[in-house]
């Protein structure tokens, strides 16, 4: 699920319809150079589940396991031979247990608890539209401040990490691409079109990459705006309209992984996305979500273990091919270094149960996977956002994600993050979903300056150049209700709220 409080609460988003840019029209979209591949079919059988079957990475093993899959009434949907992950659909209720007993199978399990069903659309409420008054006031303030973008006066987050000054030195290289693994990206947005890389974009829903023209766009632009917002935070162009991203000179791609029916980010979709990004020369991926249906995947559960295994194989494959993976820490204000977290939201595709889990043995995927940059969120005052998940040894770095309790002195006085929305709109959102793309943007600036840097080197540079505010001196009460909400462990150099600190775009280009 997108790392916002919940899909329904996405309706809190406040898009601005920006009439200022309407006359400019849409810029042409680059044609896709990638071959068209088959779209994964979704079985309509009432009892069909999807599975990941993880095997030894060996041709003969994979072929023999495929025979066993057929014998157990499974249908192979996709085979990722290089990482030994096979995506299967099966209506056999014992499929998981049967396939786990097969020689060469290292883990296997269902990636959902509710059956597959034919694609459809949800009918959740549309985002709230407001008048253009704030946009006009912001454009006036931006002009007075002499900044290049009409809405930049509301972008306190850029100034917080020196991204406004960085852009004057080096906006990033067009040879660097950040892929947004998310709900799809509306590349027809005039602030995204100039920097969009269609040849590195796809629809991975179902576990198979579809690269046909526009497949990467949101199924439902009114609801699935999350990925378009994230893309703008990273690489909205400095083109005299709307907003600017942290790295306005780099390319941004969209890899859609959210199910059209329930909006969930199923594991096989994410496996497909990491492999696609790696195989298409993507330098950085942004992952502002956790794989559904489990917020935490426990290694003592065979299904959840298989999910961790499959997604980890895919993200490690990407790292080995030179792709840095950046992910949001989550919006539950959980301490990932505690020994007990109450998760009452999983599984989120059927009936959730209340579980107490140990985050050292049950993992939020992909953010807790090895080598992934885990990002917590800050507000305009520079302190942890009230919702941000944290934890010493779990959080790597922090970045602005917005906080509605920390209000800036900007024209719209909105403590959230302003970015692009589908259909040529702009809106404010808050979340670790918004923090992660700031880090992805700074990582793209670093990659532009150091083209040969490995993912590990990029992560080390992000940390070395970060500004650490240290743990707060006062007990932390993020929402100001008088009740302490979280405890920051650690010191000035590294701590649970900010990891190694808030990333810095200016240092990345100097
Ligand atoms: Ca712009
Ligand atoms: Ca409180």
């Amino acid at each position: 699920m997108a790392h916002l409080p919940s899909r329904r609460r996405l309706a809190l988003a406040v898009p601005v319809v920006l009439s200022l840019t309407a006359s400019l029209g849409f810029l042409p979209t680059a044609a896709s150079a990638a071959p068209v591949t088959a779209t994964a079919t979704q079985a309509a059988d009432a009892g069909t589940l999807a599975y990941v079957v993880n095997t030894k990475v060996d041709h003969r093993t994979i072929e023999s396991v495929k025979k066993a899959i057929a014998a157990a009434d499974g249908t192979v949907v996709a085979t990722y031979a290089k990482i030994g992950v096979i995506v299967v659909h099966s209506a056999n209720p014992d499929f998981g247990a049967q396939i786990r007993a097969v020689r060469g199978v290292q883990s296997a399990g269902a990636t959902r608890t509710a059956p597959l069903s034919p694609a459809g659309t949800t009918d959740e409420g549309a985002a709230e539209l407001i008048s253009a008054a704030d946009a006009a006031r912001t454009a006036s303030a931006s002009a007075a401040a002499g900044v290049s973008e009409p809405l930049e006066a509301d972008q306190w987050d850029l100034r917080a990490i020196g991204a406004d000054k960085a852009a004057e030195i080096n906006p990033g290289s067009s040879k660097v691409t950040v892929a947004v693994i998310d709900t799809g990206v509306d590349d027809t947005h005039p602030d995204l079109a100039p920097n969009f890389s269609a040849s590195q974009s796809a629809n991975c829903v179902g576990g198979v990459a579809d690269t046909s023209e526009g497949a990467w766009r949101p199924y439902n632009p009114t609801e699935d705006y999350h990925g378009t917002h994230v893309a703008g935070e990273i690489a909205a162009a400095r083109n005299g309209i709307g907003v600017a991203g942290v790295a306005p000179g780099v390319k941004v791609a969209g890899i859609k992984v959210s199910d059209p029916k329930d909006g969930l980010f199923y594991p096989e979709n994410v496996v497909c996305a990491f492999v696609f990004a790696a195989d298409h020369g993507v330098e950085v991926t942004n992952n502002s979500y956790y794989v559904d249906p489990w917020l935490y995947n426990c290694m003592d559960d065979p299904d959840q273990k298989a999910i961790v295994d499959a997604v980890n194989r895919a993200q490690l494959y990407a790292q080995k091919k030179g792709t840095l993976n950046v992910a949001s820490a989550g919006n539950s204000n959980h301490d990932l270094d505690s020994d007990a977290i109450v998760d009452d939201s999983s599984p989120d595709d059927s009936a959730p149960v209340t579980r107490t889990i140990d985050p050292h043995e049950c993992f939020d995927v992909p953010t807790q996977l090895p080598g992934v940059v885990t990002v917590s969120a800050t507000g305009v005052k520079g302190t942890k956002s009230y919702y941000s998940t944290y934890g010493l040894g779990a959080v790597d770095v922090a970045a602005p994600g917005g906080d509605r309790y920390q209000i800036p002195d900007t024209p719209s006085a909105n403590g959230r993050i302003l970015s692009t929305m589908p259909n040529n709109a702009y809106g404010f959102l808050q979340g670790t979903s918004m923090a992660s793309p700031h880090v992805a943007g700074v990582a793209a600036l670093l990659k532009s300056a150091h083209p040969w840097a490995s993912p590990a080197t990029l992560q080390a540079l992000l940390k070395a150049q970060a500004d650490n505010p240290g743990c707060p001196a006062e007990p932390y009460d993020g929402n100001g209700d008088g009740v302490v909400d979280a405890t920051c462990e650690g010191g000035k150099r590294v701590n649970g709220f900010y990891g190694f600190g808030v990333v810095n775009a200016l240092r990345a280009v100097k």
Side-chain angles (χ1 to χ4, degrees):
M1 175 171 290
H3 263 160
L4 284 157
S6 83
R7 198 162 194 248
R8 279 175 190 83
R9 285 180 64 184
L10 293 178
L12 293 171
V14 189
V16 176
V17 176
L18 190 67
S19 54
L20 302 175
T21 67
S23 61
L24 218 86
F26 294 151
L27 296 174
T29 306
S32 171
V36 175
T37 59
T39 304
T41 52
Q42 289 208 317
D45 283 9
T48 301
L49 296 178
Y51 293 82
V52 281
V53 178
N54 307 309
T55 72
K56 276 173 60 185
V57 183
D58 163 75
H59 178 74
R60 282 174 60 188
T61 301
I62 289 169
E63 290 310 308
S64 69
V65 169
K66 279 184 174 178
K67 289 194 181 101
I69 288 169
D73 297 325
T75 304
V76 172
V77 174
T79 304
Y80 292 95
K82 285 174 285 192
I83 56 173
V85 176
I86 306 171
V87 180
V88 177
H89 289 176
S90 179
N92 172 5
D94 292 325
F95 179 80
Q98 287 177 21
I99 208 69
R100 281 192 288 271
V102 170
R103 186 185 185 88
V105 172
Q106 294 171 322
S107 62
T111 64
R112 60 189 73 213
T113 64
L116 291 159
S117 54
T121 54
T122 59
D123 58 358
E124 290 181 64
E128 180 190 353
L129 292 166
I130 66 168
S131 80
D134 274 351
R137 206 162 48 241
T138 305
S140 162
S142 297
V147 297
S148 76
E149 304 302 282
L151 296 181
E152 198 172 348
D154 269 340
Q155 294 192 276
W156 59 267
D157 51 307
L158 294 186
R159 298 185 285 278
I161 61 170
D164 53 336
K165 293 193 174 71
E168 294 173 3
I169 297 170
N170 186 346
S173 167
S174 62
K175 293 177 180 166
V176 172
T177 300
V178 182
V180 174
I181 300 176
D182 212 298
T183 60
V185 173
D186 179 3
D187 59 299
T188 68
H189 195 297
D191 237 348
L192 295 175
N195 288 338
F196 193 74
S197 176
S199 65
Q200 294 169 299
S201 297
N203 174 10
C204 268
V205 174
V208 181
D210 171 7
T211 58
S212 58
E213 170 66 23
W216 51 80
R217 290 179 195 140
Y219 283 116
N220 183 336
T222 315
E223 292 175 353
D224 300 328
Y225 46 72
H226 191 266
T228 300
H229 196 278
V230 166
E233 290 176 59
I234 295 163
R238 283 195 175 270
N239 52 359
I241 58 171
V243 297
V246 172
V250 307
K251 295 289 184 193
V252 64
I255 305 177
K256 186 167 69 185
V257 293
S258 65
D259 188 277
K261 183 173 71 70
D262 53 25
L264 300 184
F265 292 48
Y266 289 106
E268 61 271 30
N269 307 352
V270 172
V271 168
C272 167
F274 280 123
V275 172
F276 180 87
D279 285 346
H280 288 76
V282 165
E283 283 78 14
V284 181
T285 68
N286 185 80
N287 303 272
S288 290
Y289 61 90
Y290 63 88
V291 297
D292 297 287
W294 308 95
L295 174 52
Y296 297 101
N297 294 274
C298 295
M299 299 304 277
D300 61 359
D301 176 284
D303 290 325
Q304 293 162 46
K305 177 185 174 186
I307 290 169
V308 174
D309 191 0
V311 177
N312 193 41
R313 287 173 188 226
Q315 74 88 15
L316 283 177
Y317 173 77
Q319 286 187 51
K320 281 179 189 149
K321 293 199 82 169
T323 310
L324 177 72
N325 303 316
V326 181
S328 51
N331 298 331
S332 306
N333 190 38
H334 285 165
D335 180 358
L336 294 176
D337 193 34
S338 72
D339 55 11
I341 287 174
V342 177
D343 170 22
D344 60 4
S345 67
S346 305
D348 59 8
D349 63 338
S350 57
V353 295
T354 298
R355 313 183 285 172
T356 300
I357 65 95
D358 180 343
H360 302 91
E361 291 165 11
C362 303
F363 306 117
D364 180 329
V365 174
T367 201
Q368 285 185 273
L369 297 176
V372 173
V373 181
T374 302
V375 182
S376 64
T378 56
V380 72
K381 292 177 181 168
T383 54
K384 184 182 97 68
S385 303
Y386 69 93
Y387 53 78
S388 182
T389 285
Y390 57 98
L392 184 60
V395 168
D396 292 303
V397 288
D403 183 332
R404 64 190 170 93
Y405 297 111
Q406 300 182 38
I407 303 302
D409 179 20
T410 52
S412 297
N414 193 307
R416 301 175 216 171
I417 305 293
L418 181 63
S419 186
T420 46
M421 301 284 268
N423 299 326
N424 194 13
Y426 295 87
F428 290 98
L429 292 172
Q430 67 175 11
T432 54
S433 280
M434 282 65 243
S436 178
H438 286 74
V439 176
V442 174
L445 294 177
L446 284 168
K447 185 68 176 176
S448 299
H450 310 281
W452 310 112
S454 67
T457 299
L458 292 175
Q459 175 155 193
L461 285 168
L462 284 171
K463 290 174 174 172
Q465 296 178 353
D467 299 299
N468 203 326
C471 285
E474 301 291 314
Y476 177 82
D477 176 14
N479 58 3
D481 67 355
V483 178
V484 173
D485 303 309
T487 302
C488 182
E489 307 275 357
K492 175 73 182 165
R493 194 178 77 88
V494 56
N495 56 62
F497 277 14
Y498 312 105
F500 283 77
V502 177
V503 294
N504 190 297
L506 184 54
R507 260 174 230 137
V509 299
K510 273 190 166 171

